[in-house]
Amino acid sequence: MKFFSFAVAALATFASFASAAPLPIETGLEARGQAVSSTALKVPTTQEFINQHLIKAPRKNKSLFWTGQQAATDARRLRSVALDLAAKQGFDIVGEMLSDDALRLINGPKAPINKLSAAAANKFVEEASGAFAELSTGDVTIMMEGDPTTGPQPEAGSVFARIERPILEERAAHGTQAITGAFRIATNFKTTGVKVPFKL
Ligand SMILES: *[C@@H]1O[C@H](CO)[C@@H](O)[C@H](O)[C@H]1NC(C)=O
């Protein structure tokens, strides 16, 4: 149950606007027993997200990632801050990069994702997040709560730590050096403007 709530919170980071319909938790639970129905959504892989244009590339230097320091971090709260930063400071965030086709899979009470198991829904988030990291170029920005210099590191089990960070690290280290730098900001970046180099 706890795991499922976490998956829903993670999925909530994908809706384009704060006013978008919240994911229907009750419907999702009812639908879980039907997860094996023949119309079940097959979760696209990271490569399929990219190849099938389910996600657009963020602009160079504009990718914004956000993550918690512990599993219990309220992803919805960070999401609203990220949406605001994207709108006012010109960052690109994963939910904003998803195509209409991808959004149709996850938005609304009848969305195919509600038929998935919690684990499969989580997988959807992870694959899309991986694609966002794969498509990021230039300097990337990571928003976390706490002081950007002294604050705790990302929670080890987070999508950022497990999925996005290794991809960014790889893209920074080898070959074309598609990622040129990483910076950490706090949730109050809009007022402080403080960004601190972040070791991937
Ligand atoms: C990206 O940022 C780098 C500085 O790290 C800058 O040299 C470059 O011009 C920027 N590119 C774009 C497209 O903004």
Side-chain angles (χ1 to χ4, degrees), residues 170-187:
E170 167 81 20
R171 287 171 61 69
H174 303 291
T176 58
Q177 298 189 317
I179 299 296
T180 50
F183 296 88
R184 174 172 169 176
I185 63 173
T187 52

Side-chain angles (χ1 to χ4, degrees), residues 131-178:
F132 182 72
E134 289 281 4
L135 293 171
S136 291
T137 53
D139 292 348
V140 297
T141 305
I142 298 109
M143 181 183 76
M144 294 183 63
E145 293 181 297
D147 185 289
T149 305
T150 58
Q153 288 296 299
E155 197 269 319
S158 65
V159 171
F160 180 74
R162 289 184 298 110
I163 312 283
E164 295 167 328
R165 189 177 197 168
I167 293 172
L168 294 174
E169 186 182 14
E170 167 81 20
R171 287 171 61 69
H174 303 291
T176 58
Q177 298 189 317

